[in-house]
Amino acid sequence: MMNKTLLSLAIVIGLVGCNSSSSDNDDTFDLRILHINDHHSKLDATGPVALTLGGVKTEVEIGGFPRLVTKFNELQNDSTLRLHAGDAITGTMFYSLFREELPDALMMNQVCFDAFALGNHEFDDGNEQLAHFIETLKNGEDACGTEVLAANIEVPSTNPIYGIYDPYKVFDVAGQQVGVIGIDISSKTQASSSPSADTEFFDEVETSQRYIDILKEQGVDKIVLLTHYMYSNDIAMAKQLTDVDVIVGGDSHSLLADSELHTEIGFGTTDGEYPTVVQNADGNDVCIVQAWENALVLGELNVSFNEQGNVTQCSGTPHLLLGDEFINPSEDSEGVHTDEELDAINQYIASKNELSSVEKDTVTAEKLAFYSDQVDEKMKEIIGYSVALLCNERTPGSNHSSGALCVEGSEEREFMNQHGSIMANVVSEAFVDMSIRSDIAIQNSGGVRTTIAEGDVSVGHAFNVLPFSNYLVNLDMTGQEIVNTIEDAIDNVVVNDSSGAFPAAANLRFDVDMNAEKGQRITDVQARRKLEDGTFGEWHDIELTEIYVVVTNDFIAAGGDRYDSFVPVYEDDSRREDTGLLYTDSLINYIKKLEDNGETLDRPDVSEMSVQSFIALN
């Protein structure tokens, strides 16, 4: 029998990697956990973001690792664990352009996490690349002893990640033993990422209880699950387990915070309270937390334990990390706030525990700038070639300026007048290829901003086509819901003259009559499914009662551009999968994949276009 990671049940008791301290044992114990999750290679700040602070409309940067490091260090005390709940990599140019150097690992080592749980996106590029990431995190520049945890993942000794992660670790925190168990979301990792075939995944709840019991047998009575398993799953799991005290989670990108505050500032939609407290199977409290996404929030959880190791109290703050430079968005202000406005902004921030104006850590900022400067330079990198002029359009025949290279009377313009945007169809093909589980892709034409000319294609070209920071989501939809969604989008074009709502798609095709009534504008709807080997099945009349997996961007998935029929599916956690794939990055990786396979970008055949025939509005 092969040796496997899970067969080693010996507890390794070590000092907390970056925060070790010791004290005499007391009857009670106060633990502080500082945590993030799902930063998805978003290492720099977001924004400037439009906010309303103290009644003043302003714009300010939010988050980024240089600010995270400052806040982690500010909140550190002698009884602290620093935890990351997974999905560190994939999602921005900091990963896609630096798979060898891995600035994610460097930035994580500036924080100096005690433990990091593997998430599904850690497996996006396979186990060999994951092994490289773990080795860089643990042994690369500024490495500080971060433990990598995954209790419900098992690999044989021949696998690249064998022996470089553990199911759990026991940390000495101020003289107290705290067990931390890592849990990954198994089905999602297997279905939507690329773990090697010899990677086995086990049930999250059963595995958690198994290792809790092992820790209890060894006398460890303060137990933290570090999970990448979704907020709703964490809640359900906590109620089934005995002896669990804390769950620090990720995967669902849940903002747990004061809903009134976020409504007031106009940024973020909350999913629950921070912390969320439920009772485990013993009837004891479990503190559940998550810290949103993209290095925007640092979670601070404070937990008190009694002498039996049960939670007696938990409280905390999700710190939204604001910059300290505020921009006046008014047209006549030249970006400058009055002294009175700045006073109102700063007084408001000071009155809210959840808001912090945070200076960037200088060392971290300098290390990140080394890569940021290269990202700017690498925008010039050639990643592929196009053998055709990939014209862009919104509604067929509208002659939108984004397709200006495709002049009236040209073959490309005539093609678009009948079949819609060539570029939007190529983007849709990229999405359905990159999102492993999807059958169909749907994209709003307004999200595709320009044409790609014949010739070399650079990273910058891809960014010009898709300049926004949207993410891809997979939605499990019936054929009827898909038809309804396309009808919604076209209705927005007809009723509201919103040309950018016009849909493009891959593996979905139909005829359009803009003059028909809503519900009858598209006919002869056909679809294809993705086969297990990644190829596609035969075209068939869409099956209205059957389920298809649709990949789309999170803007229209949430109802943007009046894609209304997406909304109930998107809001149903059981039918939505947040892939974590940045849609610009997905287009870049698709073009690179073609290049690696000796292929080029080209205009799709008519049979591959979503619009097969088009009757314009009279």
Side-chain angles (χ1 to χ4, degrees):
M1 175 179 282
M2 291 182 292
N3 291 326
K4 296 185 177 182
T5 300
L6 284 179
L7 297 181
S8 176
L9 301 182
I11 294 199
V12 180
I13 301 177
L15 294 178
V16 178
C18 318
N19 314 309
S20 64
S21 61
S22 62
S23 68
D24 294 334
N25 289 333
D26 297 319
D27 290 339
T28 62
F29 173 59
D30 295 326
L31 172 68
R32 173 168 292 179
I33 295 175
L34 303 178
H35 63 100
I36 68 168
N37 53 274
D38 295 277
H39 82 253
H40 283 290
S41 298
K42 182 60 175 159
L43 305 179
D44 55 354
T46 297
V49 174
L51 301 178
T52 301
L53 301 175
V56 179
K57 293 186 181 300
T58 190
E59 294 179 356
V60 64
E61 286 188 346
I62 302 180
F65 268 74
R67 291 191 177 94
L68 272 177
V69 170
T70 298
K71 198 66 177 178
F72 265 97
N73 293 339
E74 174 191 324
L75 296 173
Q76 173 75 28
N77 66 17
D78 290 336
S79 302
T80 299
L81 281 175
R82 301 185 179 202
L83 304 179
H84 190 311
D87 274 7
I89 55 176
T90 77
T92 77
M93 302 289 284
F94 286 112
Y95 178 75
S96 60
L97 295 181
F98 299 106
R99 284 179 167 84
E100 177 62 30
E101 300 89 342
L102 293 171
D104 283 288
L106 177 62
M107 290 295 101
M108 290 172 68
N109 283 333
Q110 305 315 302
V111 172
C112 194
F113 292 99
D114 295 304
F116 166 66
L118 295 181
N120 53 296
H121 284 285
E122 269 67 67
F123 290 88
D124 279 356
D125 287 327
N127 289 38
E128 187 171 348
Q129 177 65 13
L130 173 55
H132 175 54
F133 173 68
I134 295 174
E135 292 287 2
T136 305
L137 179 66
K138 298 177 78 167
N139 301 308
E141 182 178 349
D142 297 334
C144 59
T146 298
E147 303 289 354
V148 178
L149 305 180
N152 63 324
I153 297 174
E154 180 177 339
V155 296
S157 60
T158 53
N159 192 282
I161 66 172
Y162 177 81
I164 60 174
Y165 73 97
D166 291 284
Y168 60 87
K169 284 291 178 181
V170 177
F171 295 94
D172 183 315
V173 185
Q176 298 278 338
Q177 291 185 5
V178 180
V180 181
I181 302 166
I183 295 292
D184 185 30
I185 186 165
S186 59
S187 60
K188 184 175 181 180
T189 306
Q190 294 173 84
S192 298
S193 294
S194 301
S196 59
D198 59 355
T199 307
E200 295 186 71
F201 294 83
F202 298 91
D203 181 81
E204 298 86 351
V205 179
E206 292 178 1
T207 304
S208 295
Q209 191 64 67
R210 176 187 177 192
Y211 281 99
I212 290 170
D213 293 345
I214 291 170
L215 289 171
K216 290 289 289 186
E217 289 173 3
Q218 299 295 324
V220 179
D221 59 6
K222 301 169 186 68
I223 296 175
V224 177
L225 295 182
L226 185 58
T227 72
H228 195 80
Y229 188 44
M230 299 183 65
Y231 174 56
S232 58
N233 287 340
D234 285 339
I235 292 173
M237 178 166 65
K239 296 175 181 178
Q240 300 174 62
L241 298 174
T242 61
D243 297 309
V244 63
D245 300 305
V246 177
I247 300 179
V248 177
D251 185 64
S252 54
H253 299 219
S254 298
L255 174 58
L256 307 183
D258 182 346
S259 61
E260 291 185 5
L261 171 68
H262 283 270
T263 299
E264 194 170 89
I265 68 175
F267 183 61
T269 301
T270 59
D271 297 295
E273 295 182 349
Y274 186 101
T276 298
V277 181
V278 300
Q279 280 69 53
N280 64 21
D282 301 311
N284 296 320
D285 285 350
V286 182
C287 312
I288 300 173
V289 290
Q290 195 171 139
W292 208 7
E293 62 185 2
N294 293 341
L296 295 168
V297 166
L298 169 56
E300 175 201 350
L301 176 67
N302 297 298
V303 186
S304 297
F305 295 87
N306 62 18
E307 59 183 334
Q308 288 77 38
N310 295 324
V311 172
T312 59
Q313 182 270 343
C314 59
S315 61
T317 304
H319 297 275
L320 186 67
L321 308 180
L322 307 180
D324 52 6
E325 296 182 3
F326 299 92
I327 302 168
N328 190 333
S330 301
E331 292 182 3
D332 57 353
S333 68
E334 297 184 348
V336 179
H337 282 293
T338 66
D339 290 343
E340 290 79 9
E341 289 171 333
L342 288 174
D343 284 343
I345 289 170
N346 289 318
Q347 288 177 21
Y348 181 79
I349 293 171
S351 71
K352 305 294 183 181
N353 290 335
E354 298 92 336
L355 303 180
S356 304
S357 284
V358 182
E359 293 184 2
K360 296 178 180 179
D361 177 77
T362 303
V363 172
T364 307
E366 288 176 354
K367 290 177 181 289
L368 181 58
F370 175 78
Y371 291 98
S372 298
D373 292 345
Q374 291 184 72
V375 167
D376 292 341
E377 183 63 29
K378 288 203 173 196
M379 292 287 278
K380 305 171 186 175
E381 178 190 350
I382 302 303
I383 56 174
Y385 191 87
S386 178
V387 297
L389 180 59
L390 305 179
C391 295
N392 194 43
E393 182 63 285
R394 291 197 168 189
T395 302
S398 63
N399 295 314
H400 191 267
S401 60
S402 63
L405 292 177
C406 308
V407 298
E408 191 66 30
S410 67
E411 178 188 356
E412 291 85 5
R413 178 62 64 179
E414 293 299 323
F415 185 91
M416 286 199 300
N417 287 346
Q418 269 299 302
H419 303 293
S421 175
I422 298 167
M423 193 68 244
N425 253 74
V426 171
V427 166
S428 300
E429 290 174 353
F431 292 170
V432 84
D433 184 272
M434 291 290 107
S435 181
I436 295 171
R437 200 170 64 89
S438 61
D439 300 305
I440 292 167
I442 297 175
Q443 168 68 25
N444 57 321
S445 62
V448 181
R449 307 304 288 185
T450 193
T451 293
I452 286 182
E454 181 180 349
D456 288 335
V457 179
S458 69
V459 170
H461 286 129
F463 266 86
N464 290 336
V465 170
L466 299 176
F468 308 110
S469 56
N470 294 99
Y471 286 85
L472 300 185
V473 295
N474 286 336
L475 305 175
D476 294 345
M477 303 182 70
T478 66
Q480 185 64 63
E481 288 172 327
I482 294 170
V483 171
N484 293 346
T485 298
I486 301 300
E487 288 279 1
D488 290 340
I490 294 175
D491 189 62
N492 193 24
V493 178
V494 173
V495 174
N496 300 314
D497 197 27
S498 180
S499 62
F502 195 86
N507 289 346
L508 182 72
R509 64 188 186 187
F510 42 83
D511 298 333
V512 179
D513 183 351
M514 301 291 280
N515 300 289
E517 296 295 320
K518 183 179 181 182
Q520 302 175 26
R521 294 193 180 109
I522 66 168
T523 54
D524 296 327
V525 184
Q526 293 188 314
R528 285 191 306 205
R529 296 184 185 278
K530 186 179 285 183
L531 304 177
E532 288 186 3
D533 63 359
T535 61
F536 303 115
E538 297 296 323
W539 287 104
H540 59 270
D541 291 339
I542 194 166
E543 298 169 307
L544 297 179
T545 60
E546 297 299 313
I547 297 294
Y548 299 81
V549 180
V550 177
V551 61
T552 190
N553 68 74
D554 56 2
F555 169 69
I556 60 174
D561 266 345
R562 296 307 307 270
Y563 278 69
D564 297 335
S565 292
F566 269 154
V567 175
V569 187
Y570 179 73
E571 292 180 346
D572 185 343
D573 287 344
S574 68
R575 303 177 68 191
R576 182 188 80 239
E577 176 190 2
D578 297 305
T579 71
L581 297 171
L582 186 70
Y583 85 158
T584 311
D585 199 44
S586 296
L587 178 59
I588 290 169
N589 289 334
Y590 175 70
I591 297 169
K592 285 183 173 182
K593 180 179 177 180
L594 292 177
E595 179 76 7
D596 290 343
N597 292 337
E599 302 174 53
T600 58
L601 288 171
D602 199 356
R603 187 175 79 186
D605 184 78
V606 169
S607 65
E608 299 295 317
M609 294 296 292
S610 52
V611 177
Q612 291 292 288
S613 70
F614 181 78
I615 300 175
L617 191 64
N618 293 334

